[in-house]
Amino acid sequence: MSKQRSGRSASRREQGPASAAGLPVNKNDEVLLDIIGMTHEGEGVGRVEGFTLFVQGALPGEKVRARVLKTKKQYGYAKLLELVQASPDRIGPPCPIYDQCGGCQLQHMDYTAQLAWKRQLVVDNLQRIGKLQVAGAASRGAVSGSAEKDAEPAAVEGGSAGDAGYPAEGIRVLPTLGMDEPWRYRNKAQVPIGVTDGGLVGGFYARGSHRIIDMETCLIQHEDNDKVVATVKSLGRELGITAYDEETGRGLLRHVVVKKAFRTGQMMLVLVTNGRDIPHLDAWLGSIREQLPAVVSICHNINTQRTNVIFGNDTRVLWGSDVIYDYIGDVQFAISARSFYQVNPAQTEVLYGRTLEYAALTGKETVIDAYCGIGTISLFLAQHADQVYGVEIVPEAIEDARANAKLNGMNNVKFEVGASEDVIPAWKEQCVTPDVIVVDPPRKGCDPRLLETILLMQPERVVYVSCNPSTLARDLRVLEDGGYRAVEVTPVDMFPHTVHVECVVGIRRVDT
């Protein structure tokens, strides 16, 4: 790795305050860096005399010239000034506002390389945080690079987590399951609204800020979502609708939320406002219905709180249905204004298909879904299980889950409101003995008491669906120490061109 610096920077190193503190760089120094890896947030990682600098937009394998923006005791941040040597994985981002918008982080990286990096990110977390052995992978520490994009675990062909044995060489981490067409995959847009000298604008926040970048098209949104947002903005300008101002708390329109059911084509529009009264409402609704015939539901959510949380507690239907309908596989779901529903329907089927495979259901099993939400995984598994129990702490989600079970005529599913770590032990007292427990926790991972409950319940198999490799690794360590073995991990690319990666893990009790 090159550690060269310009002569001007070298003299600053000798005289500047950072050097006096023992750091090899000062703010505003220009440095030449070899990028040796990439963080979980998509920043390139380089080092100067052992001091780590994070460089937004730099890719592993590149040599770059960068300016130091900020230093801390053990690391700093630098701005990419020049690509001295570009990575073969670098491509031109197709989005015209990519450099400004914070919605995507990896459009400048070839998609095959993105998938390889996401797998390596999972491997690194399992090794570094979980202290777990991974088949065919040497320990690499915290930094992921793209050099391993062709490195497939040697044990992959040994079978799946449904096999009787455990891989002696460690956990199998399969290649990331990506999309054939990794664009226009999102079925939901949540667009903040603001105002400029030109009037009403709506788009996404600039990276690391709440400054709105106006957007007419988003390449990861379905085209119909773009059309609805653009139409609502245009009509709002014509009617003189004001935008909410976070600093003053004044103005009306806060967010435009659009949901599209990919299978049925139905669309829902939700106007989130800072107050109940909407001026020119009839004219607005009439124009929306005329110009956007695919919209079958127009809802109004009122949020008067000084917060950046999108939704308030009060939602009403302005026109049309209170739900739209979509499918995951053969299971139909009713989606309301505030329902959580996976935003990438194509990859959701991939994710749930692998969940079903790791659950290894024969039709005789009892399954507990510990973070069931509106019942998406529960109902998907109920097609192949004897009985499924779903628990979720959000009452509205359980109402949706019960309605979705009724919608599909599924009588072998029971849903209950509460914390998993409280409800599941109560089920145990009622002689509910699960063969499989499925967990799909939020980014913070499983509650420690839930992990204790799983170890107490002793199901034969656990399937862990994760949206955060670091908390996944932490929780797997607890399960491994409690008598379970993670057999196989499948990373799934639910959000192409972003740094997010989901995983499904097949886990078995050691004595089975």
Side-chain angles (χ1 to χ4, degrees):
M1 181 182 74
S2 173
K3 298 181 182 178
Q4 294 179 349
R5 304 161 47 124
S6 68
R8 175 171 161 271
S9 296
S11 64
R12 285 193 172 193
R13 181 182 62 176
E14 295 172 0
Q15 300 175 8
S19 298
L23 300 182
V25 293
N26 293 308
K27 182 180 179 180
N28 294 324
D29 281 358
E30 290 187 9
V31 293
L32 192 64
L33 295 172
D34 286 333
I35 303 301
I36 60 172
M38 199 159 69
T39 72
H40 68 281
E41 295 179 341
E43 297 168 316
V45 180
R47 293 198 177 101
V48 176
E49 299 177 25
F51 183 76
T52 299
L53 287 172
F54 301 123
V55 186
Q56 184 68 48
L59 294 177
E62 294 186 326
K63 186 184 293 292
V64 304
R65 187 168 60 86
R67 178 182 293 116
V68 179
L69 299 175
K70 180 167 59 175
T71 60
K72 296 190 175 184
K73 186 176 181 180
Q74 294 181 319
Y75 61 91
Y77 296 90
K79 179 180 180 180
L80 178 61
L81 298 178
E82 178 188 0
L83 279 172
V84 178
Q85 180 179 328
S87 165
D89 295 330
R90 178 174 288 277
I91 61 173
C95 176
I97 59 171
Y98 174 65
D99 291 337
Q100 305 170 63
C101 177
C104 298
Q105 301 84 38
L106 299 179
Q107 281 194 23
H108 61 298
M109 189 180 200
D110 174 75
Y111 187 56
T112 300
Q114 290 183 34
L115 299 179
W117 173 75
K118 290 183 179 187
R119 177 191 177 271
Q120 189 62 46
L121 183 68
V122 174
V123 170
D124 288 346
N125 277 276
L126 294 177
Q127 293 179 314
R128 179 174 60 89
I129 297 175
K131 302 295 188 285
L132 298 164
Q133 184 178 354
V134 176
S139 179
R140 288 177 43 81
V143 176
S144 296
S146 62
E148 295 75 19
K149 65 181 177 182
D150 297 319
E152 192 167 308
V156 165
E157 296 181 357
S160 72
D163 293 341
Y166 294 102
E169 64 277 24
I171 303 168
R172 293 185 288 260
V173 181
L174 302 186
T176 306
L177 298 179
M179 301 186 72
D180 292 335
E181 180 53 52
W183 301 100
R184 298 293 188 181
Y185 58 83
R186 287 187 62 94
N187 61 14
K188 180 174 72 172
Q190 298 182 142
V191 178
I193 302 298
V195 66
T196 66
D197 294 339
L200 207 66
V201 297
F204 298 102
Y205 294 121
R207 189 174 283 113
S209 79
H210 267 219
R211 179 172 56 86
I212 296 173
I213 303 297
D214 196 28
M215 176 271 300
E216 293 301 325
T217 185
C218 174
L219 298 181
I220 63 173
Q221 288 287 348
H222 192 282
E223 295 94 329
D224 290 350
N225 289 351
D226 281 348
K227 181 179 179 181
V228 172
V229 172
T231 301
V232 170
K233 286 193 300 183
S234 175
L235 293 172
R237 293 187 194 109
E238 293 176 10
L239 295 171
I241 302 297
T242 60
Y244 176 71
D245 187 319
E246 283 188 353
E247 294 184 3
T248 66
R250 298 176 180 175
L252 182 66
L253 188 59
R254 299 176 67 126
H255 279 82
V256 173
V257 178
V258 186
K259 300 185 178 186
K260 179 179 175 66
F262 276 27
R263 189 84 67 87
T264 66
Q266 295 178 339
M267 300 190 71
M268 171 183 285
L269 166 64
V270 186
L271 303 172
V272 183
T273 65
N274 179 40
R276 177 170 291 274
D277 296 329
I278 300 178
H280 313 296
L281 179 59
D282 290 342
W284 211 5
L285 293 180
S287 296
I288 290 171
R289 293 174 57 188
E290 180 183 349
Q291 297 184 34
L292 300 168
V295 174
V296 298
S297 171
I298 304 175
C299 298
H300 179 205
N301 178 267
I302 297 99
N303 183 2
T304 58
Q305 301 297 311
R306 297 287 292 269
T307 175
N308 57 11
V309 175
I310 293 175
F311 286 113
N313 294 323
D314 188 4
T315 304
R316 56 177 178 153
V317 178
L318 297 176
W319 174 82
S321 173
D322 60 341
V323 297
I324 59 175
Y325 295 94
D326 204 5
Y327 288 82
I328 299 176
D330 295 327
V331 184
Q332 188 178 24
F333 292 93
I335 305 162
S336 64
R338 296 188 61 191
S339 292
F340 172 79
Y341 188 71
Q342 292 280 10
V343 301
N344 185 336
Q347 289 295 83
T348 296
E349 289 200 35
V350 173
L351 186 79
Y352 289 2
R354 193 52 58 100
T355 301
L356 179 62
E357 177 184 335
Y358 289 161
L361 301 178
T362 65
K364 300 177 181 180
E365 290 81 8
T366 297
V367 180
I368 290 179
D369 183 1
Y371 293 90
C372 71
I374 67 168
T376 49
I377 290 180
S378 300
L379 298 181
F380 199 82
L381 297 179
Q383 302 170 99
H384 307 276
D386 178 58
Q387 184 71 38
V388 176
Y389 294 83
V391 56
E392 169 63 53
I393 202 166
V394 180
E396 294 84 1
I398 289 296
E399 290 177 13
D400 287 344
R402 290 169 176 161
N404 285 323
K406 185 176 181 180
L407 180 66
N408 289 276
M410 292 185 178
N411 301 316
N412 62 334
V413 189
K414 176 183 178 180
F415 293 107
E416 191 163 329
V417 177
S420 299
E421 54 273 15
D422 296 326
V423 173
I424 295 176
W427 283 340
K428 187 177 191 302
E429 293 179 2
Q430 300 167 21
C431 298
V432 175
T433 305
D435 302 288
V436 182
I437 292 181
V438 177
V439 296
D440 183 8
R443 290 190 60 79
K444 66 180 180 180
C446 290
D447 186 282
R449 288 194 297 148
L450 173 59
L451 295 175
E452 293 173 7
T453 300
I454 292 173
L455 297 179
L456 179 67
M457 297 286 279
Q458 289 284 291
E460 181 179 332
R461 295 178 295 283
V462 177
V463 183
Y464 195 129
V465 181
S466 167
C467 60
N468 185 341
S470 63
T471 54
L472 167 67
R474 179 201 66 198
D475 292 346
L476 288 183
R477 179 72 271 164
V478 174
L479 294 174
E480 292 248 343
D481 291 342
Y484 285 81
R485 290 293 177 268
V487 181
E488 187 171 280
V489 180
T490 300
V492 179
D493 192 22
M494 295 286 287
F495 307 100
H497 312 297
T498 79
V499 293
H500 302 294
V501 58
E502 302 237 349
C503 297
V504 191
V505 187
I507 306 163
R508 297 197 62 169
R509 203 174 69 226
V510 171
D511 61 5
T512 56

